[in-house]
Amino acid sequence: MSQTALALPPGRYRFSNAVRSEVAKIATLRSTVITLGLTVVAGLLVTGLVTNAALGHSPGYYMGFDPTSEALTGLIVAALTGGVFGALLITAEYSSGTIRATLAAIPRRPVLLGAKTGVTAAVMLVFCELLSFVSFFLGEAILSGGGAPSASLGSPGALRAVVLTGLFIALMTLMSFGFGLIFRSTAAAIASFVAVVFVLPLVMHGISEPDVRYLPTQILTDSVMRTVRQGPGGVIHPLSPTVGILLMALYAAVAMGAGALLFLRRDA
Amino acid sequence: MITVHSLTKRYGATTAVDQLTFEVPPGVVTGFLGPNGSGKSTTMRMIMGLDIPESGTALIDGQVYSELAWPMRQVGGLLEAKAFHPTRTARNHLRCLALANDIPLRRVDEVLDLVGLTSVAGRRAGKFSLGMGQRLGIAAALLGDPGVLLFDEPVNGLDPEGIRWVRNLLRDLAAEGRTVLVSSHLISEMALTADRLVVIGRGRLIAETGVADFVARSGTAAVRLVTPDVAAFSAALAAEGASVGAGEDGSLTVEGLTAPQIGDLAARDRLRVHELVPILASLEDAFMELTQDEVEYRPSTNAGVAAGAKE
Ligand SMILES: Nc1ncnc2c1ncn2[C@@H]1O[C@H](COP(=O)(O)OP(=O)(O)OP(=O)(O)O)[C@@H](O)[C@H]1O
Ligand SMILES: [Mg+2]
C-alpha cells in the first residue's frame, strides 16, 4: 500500500548497525567524556603521589617492594569509574526513557544486549589498557628518577600485570553493567557495585580473613597488579593472576547472566 | 496495517488490556480513544514490542514488531513518555537512532526541519519545553519514513498552532497511504483528525467504527423545531407519540420522531415550520455515553471541590 515499503533496503538490520548506534551513543554522552577524562587525571595523580611517597626510604623499606604494583595504584580509581560507567550506560537509558527508542530501533533484545555489552566492554578495555600503560610508565619514571627500585615492561611479571589490570577492570565494568540490568536504577546499581567492591572486603575481614582473597578488590591489588610476593601483613595466599582473572570473569558472567535473563523477559 | 488480536496484559491484579481485538487499516487516521487508564498506552507499547503481552498478538503487516527487518523504516512510534537522554542534543539523539537502522544521516536534518527544530538541533534535549520534546519525539517517529505510525497523545503540550500542525501531519501521512493510529484525550480533536475510531474502556473494546457512524449510533437523536404554531404542533406531535420539550429560545426539542417524519406531519396538518434541524449527539456525548460504565478514575463530585475552594 504505502510506497515507503518498497524503499526498504534488502536484508535486515544487523549487529553492526546496533554497534554503530551504541558507539555513537557513548560518544555523544557528555558524562562519558567527563568521567573518562576525570579518571585519567585522578588515576595518574594517585600513581604520581603513591610512587613519589615511595622515594627516599631506608633500604629496609624496599624489602618486598613491588615497583609494578606501585605504579598501577592509580588504576584503582579506574575500577571505581568502571563501576559507575558500566552501571550508567544501561541505567541512564532507563531513567531517561531512551531505552524505548533504542528497543524500537533494535527490537531483537539479544542483538541489542550483545551490542551494548560489547561496546561497553571494548571501550572500557581500550581505555583501561591505555591508562594502565601510561600509569606504569609514569610511576616507573618517578621511581627510577628518585633512585628507588623500578621495573620495566621486561621485568618478570610486569607486562602481564599491566595488561591484566586493564582486562580486570573491564570485567569489573561488566559486573556493574549486569547490576544495572538487574536494578535499572543508577543508585541501586552503583550501590551494589560499591558494596561488593569496597564494603564486602571490610566485612569479610571481620568474618573470615583468608577468604578476602576471593573478592574483586583483593584479586586486583594482590593477584593481578602484583609481581612480587607480599611480605608478612599482606594477604597470605593470594590467588594466581590466572585464577583471579577467571574468578572475576565468573562474577561478571553471573551478574550479566542474571541481568540478561531479566532484560530479555521484562517490559521496557 | 496493524492487527491486534485478543491482546491481554496484566500488571499484578490490574488487567490493563483485556482480550482486545481491532484493526488499523492503511490510508486513514484511526483514533484510539478511551478514558484515563483504559489501556491505550499499554496497547501501543505492546504493538511496539516494548511490553510483553500475557496472551494474544499484535502484528504489523503480518509480523510481530521484534521480527521486523527494519523497524524504524517500517514503524514510527511516539510514545507517552519522553524517550531521549537530557544531555544529548536533538541532532545527536536522532543520529544515534538513524545509525541503528542504517538510515541516511541527511534524513536527520530533514525531520528536524519538518518538525521545526532546526534552530535548536544543537541544544541539549533536556532543556526543551514539553512541546519541543514532543516535536523531537515526532521527528524520531518520522526518521525512517515508515509506513505505519503510532502516536500516543501527540498534541500533548503543543500550542494551538502545533496542534493544527499535528492534525495536518496525521492527515497527510494517512493520505499518502500510511497506517496511522493516534490516541488522544481530546475527543473534539479526534473529530477533526480521525476517520475511524477504536474506543476502549477498562482494556476492552467498546466500539470500532467510522467517526460519523459512531456519533449517529449513540446518543439521543433529537430534532430542533421552530414554529409559530407551538400549541397545535405540540399536540400533533404528542398524538404521534413523540416527546416535546421547550427550548430556551422558544424552539421545541422533539424526540421520538425523525426530521422527515415531522416535516410530513407539518404538511398533513398544514402547520408552519420555520426551522427543522436534526441535533446529532456530539462525539463527546457519544463517547461519554458509551464509556460511562467503564470509567476507572471518576472524580467524586465537583461540588466538594467547589465548596472547598470557597473557604
Ligand atoms: N508499568 C505498569 N505497571 C503497573 N501498572 C501499569 C503499568 N502501566 C500501566 N499500568 C496500569 O494499566 C492500566 C492502563 O494504563 P495505560 O497507561 O495503558 O492507560 P491509558 O489509556 O494510556 O491512560 P491515559 O489516558 O491516562 O494515558 C492502568 O490501570 C495503569 O495503572
Ligand atoms: Mg496513556
Side-chain angles (χ1 to χ4, degrees):
Chain A
M1 180 84 200
S2 56
Q3 70 280 59
T4 49
L6 299 174
L8 286 184
R12 67 191 318 198
Y13 73 91
R14 289 184 307 274
F15 184 71
S16 60
N17 298 119
V19 167
R20 254 175 271 156
S21 178
E22 290 304 323
V23 169
K25 272 198 218 162
I26 289 189
T28 55
L29 212 53
R30 182 176 291 218
S31 55
T32 315
V33 181
I34 294 175
T35 312
L36 295 186
L38 282 177
T39 306
V40 171
V41 174
L44 294 183
L45 193 64
V46 167
T47 296
L49 290 172
V50 166
T51 47
N52 197 53
L55 301 178
H57 293 275
S58 61
Y61 176 90
Y62 297 106
M63 296 242 312
F65 182 76
D66 184 352
T68 301
S69 79
E70 294 284 320
L72 290 174
T73 316
L75 268 294
I76 291 171
V77 176
L80 182 57
T81 303
V84 174
F85 190 69
L88 214 55
L89 280 186
I90 186 74
T91 57
E93 290 241 347
Y94 279 100
S95 62
S96 67
T98 316
I99 189 72
R100 291 190 210 94
T102 304
L103 275 172
I106 313 282
R108 277 182 292 161
R109 297 188 184 194
V111 173
L112 179 64
L113 188 58
K116 233 181 208 325
T117 311
V119 170
T120 305
V123 166
M124 213 48 200
L125 183 64
V126 171
F127 173 77
C128 288
E129 289 297 351
L130 286 176
L131 187 61
S132 189
F133 275 95
V134 173
S135 180
F136 178 79
F137 290 130
L138 173 74
E140 299 314 329
I142 291 172
L143 289 174
S144 66
S150 66
S152 72
L153 284 180
S155 309
L159 181 60
R160 186 209 66 210
V162 172
V163 171
L164 288 192
T165 296
L167 176 62
F168 191 87
I169 295 173
L171 289 171
M172 289 175 89
T173 307
L174 281 185
M175 179 175 77
S176 193
F177 186 90
F179 290 151
L181 278 174
I182 293 169
F183 297 113
R184 292 185 289 187
S185 133
T186 309
I190 292 179
S192 316
F193 181 84
V194 169
V196 170
V197 172
F198 297 101
V199 180
L200 202 56
L202 300 176
V203 176
M204 202 76 125
H205 261 296
I207 301 172
S208 169
E209 174 107 43
D211 292 331
V212 171
R213 62 193 172 141
Y214 297 113
L215 298 178
T217 326
Q218 243 57 35
I219 301 176
L220 177 61
T221 56
D222 296 339
S223 304
V224 172
M225 288 180 176
R226 210 148 246 292
T227 60
V228 178
R229 273 264 176 272
Q230 264 180 310
V235 174
I236 319 229
H237 295 296
L239 302 176
S240 78
T242 314
V243 172
I245 280 278
L246 289 177
L247 192 56
M248 187 62 229
L250 180 68
Y251 294 151
V254 169
M256 279 294 304
L261 276 181
L262 289 169
F263 177 75
L264 296 182
R265 286 147 190 241
R266 221 155 33 179
D267 292 338
Chain B
M1 170 81 110
I2 303 172
T3 324
V4 170
H5 184 73
S6 220
L7 204 59
T8 300
K9 176 73 186 178
R10 287 190 198 89
Y11 295 107
T14 324
T15 303
V17 176
D18 192 1
Q19 299 280 323
L20 189 59
T21 299
F22 66 89
E23 276 187 358
V24 188
V28 291
V29 176
T30 300
F32 196 19
L33 229 54
N36 286 141
S38 57
K40 303 181 295 293
S41 300
T42 305
T43 303
M44 289 174 131
R45 286 199 303 271
M46 286 192 284
I47 294 172
M48 296 198 59
L50 297 169
D51 279 17
I52 297 152
E54 239 75 54
S55 60
T57 52
L59 301 180
I60 288 144
D61 296 331
Q63 276 187 306
V64 294
Y65 192 94
S66 61
E67 286 310 315
L68 295 176
W70 299 100
M72 293 190 72
R73 293 164 177 260
Q74 295 174 271
V75 181
L78 169 77
L79 295 170
E80 196 168 32
K82 61 180 171 48
F84 48 80
H85 195 277
T87 69
R88 214 173 260 126
T89 67
R91 181 178 282 118
N92 280 339
H93 171 66
L94 295 175
R95 278 174 181 239
C96 291
L97 292 178
L99 286 170
N101 274 209
D102 217 6
I103 295 165
L105 290 181
R106 62 173 158 73
R107 185 70 194 148
V108 168
D109 289 318
E110 281 174 27
V111 292
L112 280 168
D113 191 44
L114 188 66
V115 303
L117 288 180
T118 302
S119 62
V120 291
R123 266 171 59 182
R124 292 199 265 161
K127 302 266 181 235
F128 281 10
S129 70
L130 185 57
M132 288 157 79
Q134 201 72 348
R135 285 165 189 267
L136 180 54
I138 295 173
L142 297 174
L143 191 59
D145 199 15
V148 175
L149 288 135
L150 290 94
F151 294 99
D152 198 356
E153 319 244 357
V155 300
N156 194 13
L158 292 184
D159 53 24
E161 197 198 323
I163 292 177
R164 179 186 295 227
W165 168 73
V166 166
R167 187 192 301 152
N168 292 334
L169 175 73
L170 295 175
R171 300 207 61 88
D172 289 349
L173 290 167
E176 288 165 14
R178 298 178 214 250
T179 302
V180 181
L181 179 66
V182 52
S183 80
S184 177
H185 277 126
L186 304 173
I187 297 148
S188 49
E189 182 56 37
M190 283 292 98
L192 292 170
T193 315
D195 309 290
R196 287 178 78 254
L197 289 179
V198 171
V199 185
I200 64 170
R202 287 180 193 265
R204 285 189 297 265
L205 186 73
I206 295 180
E208 183 179 6
T209 74
V211 172
D213 291 350
F214 180 70
V215 174
R217 222 181 62 185
S218 12
T220 45
V223 180
R224 172 186 153 88
L225 171 67
V226 178
T227 172
D229 307 322
V230 174
F233 220 134
S234 297
L237 287 166
E240 293 294 321
S243 70
V244 183
E248 285 173 15
D249 56 353
S251 68
L252 299 176
T253 306
V254 185
E255 285 176 29
L257 285 178
T258 63
Q261 288 171 321
I262 297 168
D264 292 349
L265 182 70
R268 193 192 72 194
D269 292 357
R270 304 191 66 76
L271 296 165
R272 287 172 291 170
V273 174
H274 288 179
E275 242 182 74
L276 188 61
V277 187
I279 308 169
L280 286 178
S282 68
L283 191 55
E284 195 158 340
D285 294 335
F287 175 72
M288 299 294 259
E289 182 157 323
L290 265 178
T291 59
Q292 61 188 350
D293 302 328
E294 310 287 349
V295 177
E296 198 153 350
Y297 307 104
R298 192 198 301 273
S300 48
T301 54
N302 292 331
V305 178
K310 275 184 196 134
E311 278 163 29

